[in-house]
Amino acid sequence: MTYVIAEPCIEEKNTACVDVCPVNCIRSDGGPQYYIDPVGCIDCGSCVPVCPVSAIFPLEKLPKKWKHYGESNKSFYQREMSHACKSK
Ligand code: SF4
């Protein structure tokens, strides 16, 4: 399981989740929302109650209308990895 940040984060971008994540796996690139690294997330759930707009869900409990956010969180980190490789 992993946690996913969905639509309510867009334009909100409250940093409470970033501050509580014990493994520093919530990041953004200056775009409209934050994303959770599905590989780094240890499923502790600490970010869920601190989000003021309830944007964070376990992957399995993502509302149907936001299912694609599971993929967009994952692809954010795949893009980040490919940038890191190209800049070496
Ligand atoms: Fe970080 Fe825990 Fe939230 Fe995963 S569930 S993103 S490890 S705070």
Side-chain angles (χ1 to χ4, degrees):
M1 186 176 74
T2 188
Y3 283 72
V4 171
I5 299 180
E7 187 171 284
C9 181
I10 293 179
E11 306 301 346
E12 176 71 24
K13 283 191 86 177
N14 188 288
T15 58
C17 59
V18 178
D19 295 340
V20 300
C21 179
V23 291
N24 193 27
C25 72
I26 305 176
R27 288 194 285 280
S28 182
D29 58 357
Q33 73 161 100
Y34 281 103
Y35 301 95
I36 293 175
D37 178 355
V39 176
C41 177
I42 57 170
D43 306 332
C44 70
S46 303
C47 53
V48 175
V50 300
C51 178
V53 291
S54 301
I56 307 175
F57 301 85
L59 182 59
E60 294 78 0
K61 293 199 175 149
L62 261 176
K64 217 173 181 177
K65 61 184 175 183
W66 294 332
K67 283 284 179 214
H68 56 291
Y69 281 86
E71 202 46 50
S72 66
N73 279 243
K74 195 163 105 188
S75 60
F76 172 80
Y77 288 94
Q78 285 168 342
R79 278 198 307 277
E80 274 222 322
M81 293 276 287
S82 83
H83 287 317
C85 292
K86 282 177 193 157
S87 65
K88 279 184 185 167

